Amino acid sequence: MPTALEIEKSLFDFAPKSDAMDWDNVGLLVGDPAAEVTRVLVALDATEAVADEAAAKGCDLIVTHHPIMNCRWLPVQSLREDTPQGRLLRKLTRANISVICMHTNLDVAEGGVNDVLAHTLRLEDPGPFLADGLGRIGQLPAPMALRDFVARVSEALGCNGVQYADAGKPVRRVAVGGGACGEYADAAAAAGCDTFVTADVGYHVFLDAAGKGINLIDAGHFPTEDPVLPVLIAYIRGKFPALFIEKSASHREVIQYYVKGE
Ligand SMILES: [Zn+2]
């Protein structure tokens, strides 16, 4: 069976480490590189529920998209049982479960987060959007009413709800940025897009986008990134056919929507 290090190396062939942003933290972050791996659980995040699921299923490796520690929003300075992050890391270590994280390097990878998002929304000819490789721009074969496209986004990504701002344009040339890419709405407008699909968009970004003539759709962080997981699983399965590997059943979208009048 492959070691954790061999699986990390193979994943870096798909999504090279050098493509990760400088503030990011990717690769084998927890565990013994020399440990043999037999069972793998794949999830967007290594939550405590995912760690419990991995232990219950006898998995010795968790592969996630978001870093489990020491990236921009999750500094780890201690490993204490009385902090959520410390408790999680101690639990994984006690259970001998390794963790590999593939984050911004997977966002930009060919066939990674943004390519999968563009394909899931049935955009044609998805090509580069931002200079650092983040995001994609693709076309619809014919213009579509925004409301219909929002419905497609919601259905295709399995969203609990979608927030959007209408700039009064039909949808034809669409930029996508999986996860929190609201800051690039200006760049999407400058690139001639009429619509931008991303997540974690703030009030002022919505307000500015409509004024700048670009429809802005916030489809949620989990729904815009989760579609990459089956691709990741298929890649690992192709490289290491003897491994047991499956998608986490416990990790799902946690954000619910209450809609006026429903
Ligand atoms: Zn993300």
Side-chain angles (χ1 to χ4, degrees):
M1 299 307 281
T3 63
L5 189 67
E6 285 165 345
I7 296 173
E8 181 203 45
K9 187 175 174 303
S10 178
L11 284 166
F12 278 148
D13 289 340
F14 179 40
K17 184 174 189 172
S18 54
D19 290 345
M21 307 290 134
D22 54 6
W23 50 263
D24 209 357
N25 191 18
V26 299
L28 178 66
L29 303 186
V30 174
D32 176 2
E36 274 199 8
V37 173
T38 57
R39 297 173 74 85
V40 185
L41 193 65
V42 181
L44 212 57
D45 300 83
T47 61
E48 194 152 358
V50 168
D52 290 338
E53 183 185 354
K57 288 177 170 168
C59 294
D60 30 34
L61 172 68
I62 299 173
V63 175
T64 73
H65 177 46
H66 294 128
I68 189 168
M69 59 195 278
N70 271 359
C71 56
R72 187 167 53 185
W73 69 86
L74 195 63
V76 174
Q77 299 291 339
S78 64
L79 213 58
R80 291 172 51 144
E81 197 64 28
D82 59 351
T83 69
Q85 203 57 20
R87 192 168 63 241
L88 172 63
L89 289 165
R90 281 168 48 81
K91 176 179 278 189
L92 290 164
T93 303
R94 274 197 305 267
N96 266 324
I97 297 172
S98 303
V99 182
I100 294 176
C101 307
M102 292 283 140
H103 189 216
T104 50
N105 54 327
L106 185 63
D107 286 330
V108 305
E110 220 182 298
V113 172
N114 288 297
D115 272 331
V116 173
L117 179 57
H119 283 117
T120 306
L121 300 180
R122 289 183 274 150
L123 303 181
E124 295 181 342
D125 305 320
F129 170 22
L130 299 161
D132 56 10
L134 278 174
R136 295 292 184 271
I137 292 175
Q139 310 269 350
L140 294 179
M144 195 172 186
L146 176 60
R147 183 91 191 167
D148 293 339
F149 185 69
V150 168
R152 172 188 291 193
V153 169
S154 179
E155 292 291 318
L157 303 180
C159 304
N160 287 335
V162 173
Q163 302 183 81
Y164 67 99
D166 187 347
K169 287 182 178 174
V171 181
R172 182 77 194 259
R173 185 172 160 83
V174 181
V176 298
C181 290
E183 65 195 281
Y184 304 118
D186 284 359
C193 295
D194 46 65
T195 304
F196 182 32
V197 182
T198 184
D200 299 354
V201 176
Y203 170 73
H204 290 284
V205 176
F206 269 121
L207 207 58
D208 291 349
K212 284 174 181 142
I214 186 160
N215 302 314
L216 188 54
I217 300 174
D218 183 336
H221 201 123
F222 182 95
T224 54
E225 296 188 330
D226 196 55
V228 80
L229 295 191
V231 174
L232 205 54
I233 290 169
Y235 176 81
I236 297 170
R237 197 173 270 147
K239 295 288 174 186
F240 306 102
L243 280 179
F244 168 91
I245 179 164
E246 70 176 19
K247 187 174 186 287
S248 165
S250 63
H251 191 35
R252 59 182 73 91
E253 171 68 299
V254 295
I255 299 170
Q256 306 291 320
Y257 293 81
Y258 170 83
V259 180
K260 184 176 66 177
E262 279 190 352

